Amino acid sequence: MDHFRIVGPCRLVGRIRISGAKNAALPAMAAVLLTEDEVQLQNMPAVWDVETMGRILDIIGYDVAREGDVARFRQRRVQDLCAPYDLVRTMRASILCLGPLVSRFGYAKVSLPGGCAIGARPVNLHLAGLERMGAEIEVEHGYIIARCRRLCGADYTFEKVTVTGTENLMMAAALADGRTTLHNSAVEPEVTDLGEMLRCMGARIEGLGTRQLVIDGVKSLHGCCHPIIPDRITTGTYLVAGAITRGELVIENCRPSHLQAVLDILAAAGVRMEVMEDRITLTGNGPLRPVTFTTSPYPGFPTDMQAQLMSLMTQADGTSCIRESIFENRFLHAMELDRMGAKIRIDGNTALVYGPRPLQGATVTASDLRASASLVLAALAAKGETIVRRIYHLDRGYERMEEKLNALGATIERIRA
Ligand code: EPZ
């Protein structure tokens, strides 16, 4: 398993261009299953999860061609309506194949994703919605099997806001017979981006960006060419990289309006930023102030930025309070940061981060995608050598991070093991 060897401290200076959003690319790739026509996706990120989803589409019967950041998908011969365990276990978002497959082909077999480091991650709300639309759902030998001659439009309220649950049912409803109304839907930009793509394919969807989606099913959908939105979490991650190293960064090709809650917290912490329509200029040389925030569904503070802010707050002049309200076990990075000299006390879903604490290089282990990013950020500011183990977590969602950071003044070596 590869690991990073990082020598700090460093100061990041320069420009960085944000790639397409992983969490928009994955549902967009699942939507390819809704049509036999060619689909083109632009601004696609080069990350492992996208590769994995491509392999699942290939198994199902789609040709996937990649030229730079453009991916082309075309139905070859659908032979196996199945997303197999050995791929799903590495990428939970494979569950997004369920809705499109059962809606278009009347059958789907998708491995139960199982839990992950940050929580149990059930998919009960996805399944309840499909059952409400008439699907017969069985779970056999670790696989979800969904059957339905044709889904019927339904009225469905999500008990909890779920991003991929909303995406799954929106895709399923696009080809269902009649009207589906989804209440308490997620409104993350990635959900809206998927809805825009589906509309471009001929779907009839109203209410995008609101918690009530109304979808009138159609008989078939045609192909499209769709640009993936910039990655708001990668944008936030690199903003923290600039702030924690007291650097000067210009973040280009981003969508600041998609991470306003993050910008508000960074500004409250004393990070100076000039925000334009598609770029952010950060000057991270002022004192850092402690902050208090709770993660919540969009437009609230994103849970996917919690670990990165925790790293930054180890450098603030005072005690920060971070509450994680989305996942039940998303503080695994705290113990690793403590090994680097941080002082973080966990009490249930609340973390108190005492600062400022001088960080020292150490050997640390990544547990999930965003925790791995937080450890890299801390290593950039730490004095000495840090080894970050299991960076395959990082490769799932960040495009060539060591190359981009080294170009800005970091000293990161990828050691293949
Ligand atoms: C999406 O995961 C993202 N992944 C996650 O990003 C992100 O952390 C999460 O949304 C929250 O914003 C993708 O978009 C591919 P949820 P998702 O369903 O859809 C509970 C990353 O780092 N729930 O919104 O799986 C669930 O347990 C990843 O890029 C149910 O109880 O998350 C959680 O507590 C990590 N039953 C809450 O809802 C269900 O059927 C929100 O989960 C579904 C969800």
Side-chain angles (χ1 to χ4, degrees), residues 26-251:
L26 296 177
M29 291 173 78
V32 162
L33 297 168
L34 291 167
T35 181
E36 63 180 2
D37 294 350
E38 175 171 302
V39 171
Q40 259 193 47
L41 295 177
Q42 300 167 332
N43 197 32
M44 287 285 279
V47 296
W48 271 114
D49 276 4
V50 165
E51 296 292 317
T52 303
M53 187 64 96
R55 288 171 61 197
I56 291 173
L57 294 179
D58 179 50
I59 288 169
I60 293 171
Y62 279 74
D63 285 332
V64 184
R66 183 84 186 239
E67 291 157 42
D69 70 355
V70 177
R72 285 183 177 75
F73 305 86
R74 184 143 199 125
Q75 183 176 316
R76 184 176 58 234
R77 186 174 61 81
V78 173
Q79 63 238 31
D80 190 358
L81 301 173
C82 174
Y85 171 73
D86 62 347
L87 289 177
V88 175
R89 72 181 176 79
T90 67
M91 188 195 61
R92 312 176 32 73
S94 315
I95 191 70
L96 287 165
C97 298
L98 187 65
L101 285 177
V102 70
S103 188
R104 175 148 177 250
F105 300 102
Y107 178 87
K109 181 178 178 184
V110 177
S111 170
L112 266 172
C116 74
I118 64 177
R121 311 291 296 276
V123 292
N124 59 311
L125 303 180
H126 299 234
L127 304 184
L130 289 173
E131 285 180 321
R132 177 68 62 83
M133 297 170 77
E136 278 177 36
I137 305 276
E138 293 174 293
V139 176
E140 291 173 5
H141 307 295
Y143 278 82
I144 300 162
I145 297 174
R147 294 184 179 84
C148 189
R149 194 182 53 73
R150 189 175 184 204
L151 293 177
C152 294
D155 202 84
Y156 179 68
T157 301
F158 290 100
E159 274 171 41
K160 288 176 85 168
V161 173
T162 161
V163 173
T164 50
T166 303
E167 291 165 346
N168 230 337
L169 295 187
M170 185 163 60
M171 288 189 281
L175 290 179
D177 183 14
R179 170 166 288 191
T180 297
T181 304
L182 300 177
H183 304 275
N184 198 28
S185 300
V187 293
E188 272 68 3
E190 295 78 20
V191 176
T192 302
D193 192 45
L194 174 65
E196 299 293 358
M197 174 185 171
L198 292 172
R199 289 174 71 165
C200 178
M201 294 170 73
R204 294 168 56 198
I205 303 174
E206 295 302 328
L208 285 177
T210 76
R211 297 222 181 269
Q212 179 164 306
L213 296 173
V214 180
I215 304 111
D216 288 313
V218 294
K219 286 250 184 301
S220 65
L221 294 174
H222 51 72
C224 74
C225 177
H226 179 72
I228 298 296
I229 55 173
D231 195 314
R232 60 194 169 100
I233 304 302
T234 303
T235 303
T237 302
Y238 287 122
L239 284 170
V240 172
I244 205 169
T245 60
R246 300 284 192 265
E248 303 213 8
L249 290 185
V250 179
I251 313 262

